[in-house]
Amino acid sequence: MAVPVAAAPVLKCRVMSWSGSFDEPRVDEECGDYVESGHAGLCQRHYKVYLVFKINQNRIDPLPILEVNQLKAILRRDEIKIPDRLNGEDYKRRLQEKVVQDLPLKDRKVTKF
């Protein structure tokens, strides 16, 4: 005889946030979005906010792990000319150096590429 398996409970994010519209008073309510596995009991949106908080709190520079497209997006966002790719160069490193040069972080730790 097969033993029935209990379904995993559906968890919802319990972060308190304001809700309401422009013409209604704001009310504190639980977020209520679904919690994803491995996200510390938070929905995807609040987990990202939590990660950004931890990165800033610990002054971690994400520059070394960014890919070429992400580095280009950072430069575009701040309307900085993206350098052309030259033959035989380490283009990712060149973009990283451009970000460090043109968009220094306050009290940036020395980043080694």
Side-chain angles (χ1 to χ4, degrees), residues 66 70-80 82 99 103 105:
L66 298 178
Q70 294 169 311
L71 293 164
K72 285 181 174 181
I74 289 169
L75 294 170
R76 269 191 220 101
R77 180 188 65 211
D78 285 276
E79 299 177 358
I80 295 171
I82 296 171
V99 169
L103 299 168
L105 293 177

Side-chain angles (χ1 to χ4, degrees), residues 45-93:
R45 178 172 46 117
H46 286 112
Y47 187 64
K48 287 178 181 180
V49 170
Y50 168 74
L51 290 177
V52 168
F53 170 76
K54 295 305 277 182
I55 287 168
N56 291 334
Q57 180 184 45
N58 291 291
R59 296 173 39 150
I60 298 170
D61 186 357
L63 189 66
I65 64 169
L66 298 178
E67 297 298 328
V68 168
N69 287 340
Q70 294 169 311
L71 293 164
K72 285 181 174 181
I74 289 169
L75 294 170
R76 269 191 220 101
R77 180 188 65 211
D78 285 276
E79 299 177 358
I80 295 171
K81 184 178 182 312
I82 296 171
D84 294 329
R85 185 184 298 250
L86 303 174
N87 286 335
E89 77 169 327
D90 183 348
Y91 191 54
K92 180 177 177 179
R93 180 179 176 140

